[in-house]
């Protein structure tokens, strides 16, 4: 099962479409006319370009092509646009861009193409690039994922859009005032011509500006001139999230329409179908409208979700058998080990091969070997998956929370055999995404039910369905061997693991000075469907690598911080982050008995993060009391929002490390709800201190994911420091039951 | 018919008595601020006040509201619309991320402060342990509760 086939499609589309010309803007004109009806329907609203509109009340609206799922992207992207526009922040609001091909995310395509090994030398050049827009359209690339909103759309679209709009406003004022454009300055939402004393607010020239040509490569500010970027402005979406008015997917209503509600149940073992069902008891239950056998799932439609779910629970369903029926977690682990055994010391697909790791291992003064293991993990966003759909007159509307509105549109169009333009996706806030809402399975389910019943329906998954029908963070085993020289320095690193997805290079240890490195993928099959979970491969690779490095440090008899630092001679930014987190925590200070600290360092999604966790073992099991975190994301756009994302990544990663393990029983998922799939709660939430380093304002890193990977190894390394017990399999608490 | 008072307004609810209040509030009354998270009183997203006591509305049959007063997140602010001190503190501390669990968090915290105006860390932990947040806002929630109860500023 290869869920990343769409990457191949995008790459192939490009390659067969002609030469790759990077950095040349070929996007013709300004797509205002086509978009105006969608984003600026008011007669007096002027759309300056596709990403910003200005009202007669001088209100400036940033039109943001990413969903808001708590990561703060709406605010940060509006901030970046407003910075280049020289807007008054008090005038700025944000709207979610419609699911329209004009709002594909060009840099996402660039990143995909770059990852596909096509030479893209100018990929960091801040130029709005129409070629990539075309590619993005091919692949429905309107994605919120990969910690990409700020570093990609923000840097390469929103800032350009703001700067272009500013130039268009200046050009319009210059025409009216009959003065050179170069003599007009902008500040706090105003245009000023000093010599004549003329000034006006942006709204006064909005209409005239919309008729100006849109510059494709407007100059951008240097970081020294930033007024808004780098400031902790308050999140624009928060007020509605404290009074119950924020509208999430599950809150969707259709004006003038009465909804019915659907509950669904899919076969417990992936690939199975509904063989038969006995719904006699369910039919007579309160409020039931319809019971549907959709073959790949059963749906009950009723006058309320509660009634639908109660009736669904009363249906006796049997399923077809599959090859996976007999599989349990132990069987899957054995399958992974077999793949690694088969690969041996040099087999599998080599991902990195520097020097001669096997030979260096043989010659080493000390040799270490270890296997590390992680289980499947479910996303468990607080908002269970849901989608509202209405199919009528050869068209379909869906209302949902999704990270991929255009892919959802395509998937629904395909399932219902409709043209894309007959499907409209209405996006609402996401009650958490974490990668689960990169999938379109639930939107297709709702559309199929709506088509069948011919009336608008809100489908809601039970929490049990949400846990059992996930696209899981894959289980994985990683096998290491390493050799140390007489001084304890690593001279050989040999690593093989079974799961390789995204992003490229999550397995990399090139930042550490280890001369001989062999890293391999020993592929092993699994029947459970898998997907992207916050930080994706880094969530397991961070644990594997930073645990094993810690083992090397202890084997060498050295302090784990100093050992890492001494290997970072050629990676000064990594080193600076590691040293800063050590200073924050006062690493090395005397701690109370049965208390210890662990450290870990991972670069992911362009951001280097080091974390130190303090673990208290006095209750006989680990309690994580404090976490220090230092990050280098290039340049932080919204410091408080960035800190919130580090905190979020740490708590999400800590939950995963301590508790999360999806296990299999007879091919299906054992866990079902929060009583047996536990979450970290307030009493166990550590105190978190975050700092950051702005090392490069030109190349930004992400925020949503990079806080996660270091926390699991920081905790297990602390447990080792406290107890001498090395945790090589997650979740941690299974070892302290 | 169930006679109840919701956010200060007397209401008659026409439902079968076994339907949990959560679905009555959300689907019949359009009060969608109260959220569905687990259906089994494990996550707290559906927390409301029933005669001032925090309850999980996903597991509270509508019949239990007979003759009682319900407060939901939509009724947490004062009658004149003045935000509850916790709502102000939540904004000041920039607590919510995705925001989905926050109605329940606020309702649990409001019940805590009503009974315990200056809660200790242990009291906060005990009162809030039933509310899960997957975005990891726990520490900011703790700070906001302390700020709203006059024990610290948000920065403290």
């Amino acid at each position: 099962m290869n869920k990343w086939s769409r990457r191949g499609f995008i790459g192939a589309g490009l390659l067969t479409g002609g030469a790759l010309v990077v950095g040349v803007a070929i996007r013709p004109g300004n797509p205002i006319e086509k978009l105006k009806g969608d984003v600026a329907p008011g007669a007096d609203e002027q759309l300056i370009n596709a990403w910003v509109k200005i009202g007669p009340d001088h209100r400036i609206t940033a039109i943001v092509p990413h969903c808001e799922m708590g990561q703060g992207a709406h605010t940060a992207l509006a901030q970046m646009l407003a910075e280049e526009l020289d807007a008054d922040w008090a005038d700025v609001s944000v709207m979610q861009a419609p699911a329209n091909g004009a709002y594909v995310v060009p840099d996402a395509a660039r990143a995909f193409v770059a990852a596909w090994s096509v030479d893209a030398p100018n990929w960091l050049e801040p130029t709005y690039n129409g070629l990539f827009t075309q590619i993005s359209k091919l692949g429905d690339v309107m994605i919120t994922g990969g910690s990409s909103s700020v570093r990609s759309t923000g840097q390469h679209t929103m800032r350009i859009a703001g700067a272009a709009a500013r130039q268009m406003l200046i050009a319009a004022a210059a025409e009216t005032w009959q003065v050179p454009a170069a003599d007009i300055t902008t500040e706090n939402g105003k245009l000023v011509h000093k010599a004549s004393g003329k000034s006006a607010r942006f709204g006064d020239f909005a209409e005239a500006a919309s008729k100006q040509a849109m510059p494709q490569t407007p100059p951008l500010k240097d970081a020294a001139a930033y007024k808004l970027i780098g400031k902790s402005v308050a999140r624009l979406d928060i007020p509605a999230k404290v009074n119950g008015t924020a509208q999430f997917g599950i809150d969707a209503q259709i004006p003038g329409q009465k909804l019915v509600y659907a509950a669904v149940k899919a076969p417990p073992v992936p690939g199975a179908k509904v063989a038969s069902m006995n719904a006699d008891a369910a039919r007579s239950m309160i409020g039931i409208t319809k019971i549907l056998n959709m073959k790949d799932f059963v749906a009950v439609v009723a006058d309320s979700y509660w009634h639908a779910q109660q009736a669904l629970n009363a249906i006796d369903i049997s399923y077809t058998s599959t090859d996976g029926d007999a599989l349990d977690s132990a069987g899957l682990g054995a399958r992974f080990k077999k793949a690694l055994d088969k690969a041996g010391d040099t087999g599998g697909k080599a991902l990195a091969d520097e020097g001669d790791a096997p030979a260096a291992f043989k010659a080493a003064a000390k040799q270490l070997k270890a296997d590390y293991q992680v289980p499947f993990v479910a996303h468990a966003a607080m908002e269970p998956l849901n989608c509202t759909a209405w199919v009528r007159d050869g068209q379909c509307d869906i209302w949902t929370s999704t990270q991929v509105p255009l892919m959802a549109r395509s998937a629904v169009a395909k399932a219902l055999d409709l043209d894309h333009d007959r499907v409209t996706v209405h996006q609402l806030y996401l009650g958490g995404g974490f990668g689960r809402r990169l999938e379109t399975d639930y939107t297709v389910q709702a559309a199929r039910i709506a088509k069948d019943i011919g009336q608008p329906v809100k489908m809601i998954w039970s929490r049990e369905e949400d846990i059992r029908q996930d696209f899981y963070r894959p289980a994985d085993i990683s096998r290491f061997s390493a050799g140390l020289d007489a001084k304890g320095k690593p001279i050989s690193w040999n690593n093989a693991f079974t799961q390789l997805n995204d992003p490229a290079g999550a397995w990399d240890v090139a930042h550490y000075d280890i001369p001989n490195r062999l890293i391999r993928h020993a592929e092993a099959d699994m029947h459970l469907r898998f997907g992207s979970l916050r930080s994706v491969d880094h969530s397991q690779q961070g644990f594997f690598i930073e645990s094993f490095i810690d083992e090397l440090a202890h084997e060498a008899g050295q302090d784990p911080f100093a050992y890492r630092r001494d290997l970072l001679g050629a990676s000064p930014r990594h080193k600076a982050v590691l040293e800063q987190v050590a200073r924050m925590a006062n690493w090395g200070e005397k701690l109370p008995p049965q208390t210890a600290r662990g450290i870990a360092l991972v670069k992911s999604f362009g951001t280097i993060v080091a974390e130190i966790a303090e673990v208290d073992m006095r209750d006989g099991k680990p309690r994580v009391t404090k976490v220090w975190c230092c990050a280098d994301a290039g340049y932080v756009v919204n410091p408080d929002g960035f800190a919130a994302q580090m905190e979020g990544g740490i708590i999400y990663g800590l939950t995963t490390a301590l508790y999360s393990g999806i296990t299999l029983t007879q091919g299906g998922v054992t866990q079902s709800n929060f009583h047996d799939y536990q979450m970290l709660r307030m009493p166990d939430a550590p105190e978190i201190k975050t700092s950051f380093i702005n090392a490069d304002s030109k190349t930004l890193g992400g925020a949503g994911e990079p806080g996660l990977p270091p926390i699991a190894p920081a905790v297990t390394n602390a447990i080792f420091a406290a107890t001498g017990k090395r945790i090589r399999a997650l979740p941690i608490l299974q070892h302290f039951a | 018919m169930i006679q109840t008072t919701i956010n200060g307004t007397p209401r008659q609810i026409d439902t079968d008595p076994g339907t949990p209040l959560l679905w009555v509030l959300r689907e019949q009354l359009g009060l969608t601020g109260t959220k569905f998270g687990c259906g089994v009183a494990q996550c707290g997203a559906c927390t409301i006040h029933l005669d001032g006591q925090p309850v999980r509305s996903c597991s509270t049959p509508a019949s239990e509201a007979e003759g009682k007063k319900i407060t939901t997140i939509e009724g947490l602010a004062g009658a004149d619309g003045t935000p509850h001190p916790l709502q102000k503190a939540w904004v000041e501390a920039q607590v919510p991320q995705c925001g989905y669990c926050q109605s329940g968090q606020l309702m649990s915290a409001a019940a805590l402060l009503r009974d315990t105006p200056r809660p200790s860390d242990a009291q906060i932990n005990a009162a809030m342990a039933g509310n899960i947040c997957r975005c990891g806002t726990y520490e900011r929630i703790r700070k906001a509760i302390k700020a709203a109860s006059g024990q610290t500023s948000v920065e403290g």
Side-chain angles (χ1 to χ4, degrees):
Chain A
M1 206 182 305
N2 177 8
K3 71 177 291 292
W4 294 105
S5 57
R6 61 179 173 250
R7 173 191 291 167
F9 172 65
I10 294 163
L14 171 75
L15 294 172
T16 56
L20 178 65
V21 188
V22 175
V24 178
I26 60 167
R27 182 186 176 79
N30 199 344
I32 284 181
E33 288 312 315
K34 272 192 287 185
L35 290 174
K36 186 164 166 36
D38 277 342
V39 300
D44 50 5
E45 283 187 314
Q46 297 301 330
L47 195 64
I48 301 301
N49 56 40
W51 303 274
V52 56
K53 63 177 182 177
I54 300 180
D57 55 357
H58 308 285
R59 199 81 219 143
I60 290 161
T61 306
I63 303 166
V64 171
H66 286 285
C67 69
E68 180 57 63
M69 50 185 171
Q71 81 282 38
H74 278 188
T75 304
L77 292 181
Q79 225 177 322
M80 297 175 91
L81 181 135
E83 174 71 67
E84 296 292 347
L85 182 58
D86 273 341
D88 183 340
W89 181 248
D91 294 337
V92 177
S93 53
V94 67
M95 78 177 273
Q96 166 87 55
N100 177 309
Y103 290 102
V104 291
V105 180
D107 274 329
R110 282 200 208 205
F112 277 120
V113 172
W116 224 59
S117 317
V118 178
D119 186 26
N122 293 341
W123 112 266
L124 295 171
E125 180 188 327
T127 296
Y128 183 75
N129 190 305
L131 177 59
F132 281 99
T133 302
Q134 299 306 322
I135 298 164
S136 301
K137 281 181 183 172
L138 275 176
D140 288 330
V141 184
M142 187 174 182
I143 294 177
T144 305
S147 297
S148 66
S149 303
V150 163
R151 63 188 173 128
S152 176
T153 303
Q155 277 291 74
H156 304 143
T157 302
M158 302 311 287
R159 285 183 64 199
I160 317 278
R166 175 179 167 273
Q167 288 207 344
M168 293 157 82
L169 287 161
I170 288 175
E175 268 178 28
T176 302
W177 292 344
Q178 293 290 303
V179 301
D183 294 346
I184 296 176
T185 57
T186 52
E187 193 178 5
N188 279 337
K190 279 198 188 116
L191 294 145
V192 177
H193 184 252
K194 231 178 202 162
S196 65
K198 286 193 167 95
S199 82
R201 293 184 69 187
F202 284 173
D204 302 331
F205 279 102
E207 186 179 357
S210 74
K211 299 186 172 76
Q212 298 289 327
M214 179 175 148
Q216 295 286 310
T217 54
L220 302 179
K221 288 182 185 177
D222 284 330
Y226 289 161
K227 291 176 185 155
L228 275 172
I229 293 179
K231 270 179 77 172
S232 293
V233 301
R235 287 246 311 270
L236 298 168
D237 55 325
I238 281 182
K241 290 178 174 177
V242 303
N243 62 19
T245 59
Q247 295 286 297
F248 295 83
I250 202 168
D251 303 325
Q253 293 294 326
I254 308 174
Q257 294 295 317
K258 187 170 165 50
L259 293 174
V260 292
Y261 297 85
V264 296
K265 184 170 172 55
V269 182
K273 300 278 179 201
V274 176
S276 66
M277 65 176 192
N278 179 349
D280 292 348
R283 265 186 206 99
S284 58
M285 290 173 73
I286 303 171
I288 302 308
T289 308
K290 204 161 182 185
I291 296 169
L292 301 168
N293 179 349
M294 308 294 278
K295 302 300 179 196
D296 52 337
F297 66 97
V298 172
V300 176
V301 182
D303 62 349
S304 84
Y305 166 72
W306 174 255
H307 290 149
Q309 187 66 48
Q310 295 309 297
L312 182 62
N313 294 347
I315 300 177
D316 187 14
I317 310 170
S318 62
Y319 304 98
T320 59
S321 55
T322 78
D323 292 346
D325 286 0
L327 203 61
D328 60 14
S329 295
L332 192 74
R335 186 190 284 181
F336 287 3
K337 290 232 180 204
K338 203 170 148 193
L340 290 166
D341 290 344
K342 194 176 155 217
D345 290 335
T346 55
K349 187 189 169 205
L351 303 166
D353 190 359
E354 296 289 328
D356 189 339
F361 180 75
K362 285 200 185 93
K366 278 186 181 167
Q367 297 175 332
L368 273 86
K369 288 187 174 189
D371 277 9
Y372 281 82
Q373 187 165 357
V374 295
F376 290 105
V377 173
H379 296 80
M382 285 311 298
E383 181 192 10
L385 294 176
N386 65 84
C387 180
T388 298
W390 188 14
V391 179
R392 82 280 187 211
D393 308 329
Q395 60 179 326
C396 176
D397 283 74
I398 66 169
W399 291 257
T400 194
S401 33
T402 173
Q403 294 173 251
V404 288
L406 291 179
M407 287 182 195
R409 185 177 71 164
S410 288
V412 167
K414 190 174 168 211
L416 302 190
D417 196 20
L418 293 172
D419 285 339
H420 286 209
D421 60 8
R422 305 294 288 166
V423 178
T424 305
V425 177
H426 308 266
Q427 296 186 80
L428 294 100
Y429 282 135
L430 284 67
F434 311 122
R436 179 60 181 92
R437 289 184 159 95
L438 289 169
E439 309 294 342
T440 59
D441 53 326
Y442 57 105
T443 48
V444 169
Q445 271 187 336
R448 286 171 60 201
I449 297 167
K451 183 179 179 184
D452 194 290
I453 65 172
Q455 58 182 316
V457 60
K458 181 184 289 187
M459 177 201 72
I460 302 173
W461 283 22
S462 65
R463 174 59 63 189
E464 289 77 9
E465 194 74 356
D466 192 88
I467 298 276
R468 289 185 163 160
Q469 299 294 335
D470 202 346
F471 289 75
Y472 302 89
R473 194 277 304 273
D476 194 4
I477 297 182
S478 188
R479 177 165 290 174
F480 290 97
S481 61
L484 308 182
D485 67 14
K487 289 179 180 162
K489 185 181 180 315
I491 52 170
S492 169
W493 177 275
N494 192 345
N495 177 208
F497 44 83
T498 67
Q499 304 301 320
L500 176 66
N501 295 298
D502 213 56
W507 38 263
D508 200 4
V509 290
H511 51 291
Y512 287 129
D513 177 17
I514 307 173
N516 302 289
R517 302 188 303 279
L518 179 60
I519 299 168
R520 297 164 290 130
H521 177 211
E523 189 166 8
D525 241 10
M526 65 178 114
H527 78 308
L528 210 57
R529 58 190 194 176
F530 61 93
S532 300
L533 181 136
R534 195 170 189 171
S535 86
V536 206
D537 280 3
H538 286 289
S539 92
Q540 67 262 27
Q541 294 292 357
F543 167 63
F544 298 152
I545 293 166
E546 284 298 301
S547 294
F548 195 57
I549 281 279
D550 214 69
E551 291 204 44
L552 303 191
H554 287 285
E555 185 68 27
Q558 294 181 28
D559 173 81
F561 156 68
Y563 190 76
R564 285 176 176 79
R565 180 197 58 202
D566 294 348
L567 293 174
L568 292 170
S571 307
R573 285 175 67 177
H574 284 81
K575 192 173 162 189
V577 169
L578 190 77
E579 288 176 333
Q580 180 153 321
V581 82
R583 276 196 299 275
M584 288 167 70
N586 196 16
W587 178 265
E589 76 180 353
K590 191 162 163 41
L591 298 172
Q594 298 187 67
T595 301
R597 291 174 182 173
I599 191 166
L601 169 71
V602 179
K603 180 180 182 181
S604 65
F605 305 94
T607 298
I608 304 164
V609 181
E611 288 165 13
I612 291 173
E614 184 170 306
V615 172
D616 177 345
M617 295 296 301
R618 277 177 297 179
D619 296 340
K621 60 178 185 178
R623 214 176 100 72
V624 181
T625 51
K626 289 177 187 166
V627 176
W628 295 265
C629 167
C630 177
D632 174 357
Y635 200 96
V636 167
V637 171
N638 185 323
D640 187 58
F642 187 86
Q645 286 311 295
M646 292 299 116
E647 294 158 18
I650 287 165
I651 296 292
Y652 200 91
L654 192 53
T655 301
T656 304
L658 289 171
Y659 299 101
S660 302
I662 289 290
T663 56
L664 302 178
T665 309
Q666 295 185 317
V669 168
T670 316
Q671 291 72 24
S672 62
N673 205 320
F674 294 129
H675 65 285
D676 58 6
Y677 191 69
Q678 291 189 36
M679 301 288 129
L680 187 109
R681 293 167 183 270
M682 169 93 69
D684 294 317
E687 187 187 323
I688 300 170
K689 289 201 160 49
T690 298
S691 75
F692 57 86
I693 297 171
N694 283 338
D696 176 9
S697 67
K698 301 285 184 209
T699 309
L700 305 193
E705 294 167 280
L708 188 148
I711 190 62
V715 170
T716 53
N717 294 343
I719 292 170
F720 181 82
T723 66
K725 181 171 173 152
R726 176 60 65 182
I727 307 289
R728 294 198 185 92
L730 299 182
I732 292 167
L733 288 176
Q734 70 181 328
H735 304 285
F736 297 91
Chain B
M1 282 292 181
I2 294 161
Q3 310 285 336
T4 183
T5 301
I6 301 177
N7 296 332
T9 307
R11 302 290 290 254
Q12 288 194 338
I13 302 172
D14 181 13
T15 185
D16 64 294
T19 295
L21 278 173
L22 171 64
W23 304 106
V24 174
L25 293 169
R26 289 183 53 81
E27 295 174 353
Q28 287 189 36
L29 305 176
L31 295 170
T32 55
T34 304
K35 299 302 191 215
F36 167 54
C38 70
V40 291
Q42 287 284 316
C43 79
C46 66
T47 305
I48 60 171
H49 295 178
L50 198 57
D51 276 353
Q53 293 305 307
V55 299
R56 311 301 183 208
S57 65
C58 76
S59 304
T60 306
S63 56
E64 286 194 22
E66 176 67 43
K68 292 187 178 159
K69 291 192 175 83
I70 292 172
T71 307
T72 69
I73 185 70
E74 289 89 350
L76 186 61
D80 61 352
T82 308
H84 188 283
L86 282 166
Q87 290 173 307
K88 286 187 204 162
W90 245 241
V91 173
E92 203 179 329
Q94 294 281 289
V95 171
Q97 289 188 27
C98 89
Y100 193 80
C101 74
Q102 299 296 343
S103 297
Q105 304 277 5
L106 280 157
M107 297 310 286
S108 290
L112 167 68
L113 290 196
R114 213 190 61 158
D115 297 339
T116 313
R118 294 173 71 82
S120 65
D121 275 346
Q123 287 170 319
I124 293 173
N125 282 346
M128 304 303 292
N131 290 78
I132 295 172
C133 170
R134 286 292 276 150
C135 297
T137 65
Y138 296 122
E139 203 187 354
R140 289 178 185 240
I141 289 173
R142 199 180 284 146
K143 277 184 187 163
I145 292 173
K146 290 206 159 181
S149 57
Q151 302 187 72
T152 57
S153 69
V154 160
E155 287 70 33

